[in-house]
Amino acid sequence: DARVTQTPRHKVTEMGQEVTMRCQPILGHNTVFWYRQTMMQGLELLAYFRNRAPLDDSGMPKDRFSAEMPDATLATLKIQPSEPRDSAVYFCASGAPTGWHTDTQYFGPGTRLTVL
Amino acid sequence: EDKVVQSPLSLVVHEGDTVTLNCSYEVTNFRSLLWYKQEKKAPTFLFMLTSSGIEKKSGRLSSILDKKELSSILNITATQTGDSAIYLCAVGLNYGGATNKLIFGTGTLLAVQP
């Protein structure tokens, strides 16, 4: 069945290293969202794409985070350099372009990032 | 600032109990309210509500939106241990176009004891 996939599922890295997370949205979905979830902050929206164009990245620390959609089947979130405070679960979600459930987002399994 | 608040923050009940989870919102350009269930993985979609007073139901779960009170409730009857999860409420904002961003509450942690 159709689902959002994310890689890697787990990542442990050292402070200062670059981290790249990947997401494959559900085929046919034209919106992609990146979220970060921590115990303290809950689910925070980092960035949001529609038809591969970035619409809102106001939730993302611009100095170290970047998000792109090189094609319709791949979204990436990069952190360079990583810091311990970036440790969290990063979720990707996608949404369909039309229909009565247009606000429904479908989440991938997440990438659990630990920065030492 | 757009805000979604859920209560209680956490809840412990026994199997068979009925629970009511609350979600209230203060947002500009309200479009929809969604409920998600999150176990030890990704949030999974439960309901989307757009009209006041119309109950959505799925098995033992039901939800209703009150636009006058800017709130929604999620009811779970005859709870089971498998209902233990974080329940997330999110509000969709109307910026025009399809699939707009959601503002999430911090969730209610429900623990159902046998």
Side-chain angles (χ1 to χ4, degrees):
Chain A
D1 62 321
R3 57 183 70 188
V4 176
T5 58
Q6 288 185 249
T7 57
R9 296 291 305 276
H10 301 272
K11 176 74 176 179
V12 180
T13 191
E14 291 188 346
M15 185 172 65
Q17 296 298 305
E18 178 179 299
V19 175
T20 299
M21 290 169 269
R22 293 177 174 81
C23 167
Q24 182 171 16
I26 292 172
L27 189 65
H29 283 192
N30 72 334
T31 49
V32 172
F33 303 80
W34 282 105
Y35 292 92
R36 174 170 63 186
Q37 187 175 42
T38 60
M39 289 293 292
M40 296 300 294
Q41 300 292 334
L43 261 174
E44 302 173 272
L45 178 67
L46 297 175
Y48 160 31
F49 291 79
R50 183 187 295 157
N51 296 324
R52 296 176 55 201
L55 284 195
D56 184 350
D57 61 1
S58 58
M60 206 163 66
K62 303 285 191 310
D63 56 337
R64 299 183 299 107
F65 283 59
S66 61
E68 295 179 344
M69 272 201 82
D71 63 60
T73 63
L74 176 64
T76 62
L77 179 67
K78 191 176 293 187
I79 308 174
Q80 167 63 18
S82 57
E83 296 180 2
R85 60 180 166 148
D86 301 330
S87 298
V89 180
Y90 291 80
F91 286 107
C92 173
S94 71
T98 57
W100 65 288
H101 256 196
T102 54
D103 286 342
T104 305
Q105 296 177 19
Y106 298 89
F107 283 77
T111 294
R112 182 174 294 276
L113 174 65
T114 303
V115 183
L116 302 174
Chain B
E1 184 186 343
D2 297 320
K3 188 167 59 173
V4 177
V5 177
Q6 293 185 245
S7 63
L9 289 182
S10 63
L11 191 55
V12 180
V13 300
H14 291 284
E15 270 191 317
D17 288 350
T18 292
V19 299
T20 298
L21 310 183
N22 301 284
C23 176
S24 62
Y25 57 90
E26 287 180 34
V27 301
T28 53
N29 298 316
F30 173 90
R31 177 184 168 109
S32 61
L33 188 143
L34 294 87
W35 285 97
Y36 285 82
K37 177 182 181 182
Q38 185 175 22
E39 296 168 272
K40 290 181 183 177
K41 44 190 177 178
T44 53
F45 172 75
L46 294 174
F47 299 112
M48 186 178 83
L49 305 156
T50 55
S51 301
S52 253
I54 298 174
E55 185 183 56
K56 292 270 181 99
K57 201 168 168 63
S58 175
R60 297 175 294 102
L61 277 67
S62 63
S63 184
I64 196 161
L65 175 66
D66 186 338
K67 284 186 179 179
K68 191 174 174 187
E69 295 296 324
L70 307 183
S71 66
S72 173
I73 59 170
L74 175 69
N75 280 319
I76 309 174
T77 58
T79 51
Q80 302 171 357
T81 54
D83 296 326
S84 297
I86 296 173
Y87 289 84
L88 296 165
C89 172
V91 169
L93 305 181
N94 189 2
Y95 290 136
T99 313
N100 298 301
K101 69 178 186 181
L102 300 177
I103 306 295
F104 279 85
T106 51
T108 292
L109 175 62
L110 174 65
V112 181
Q113 294 181 341

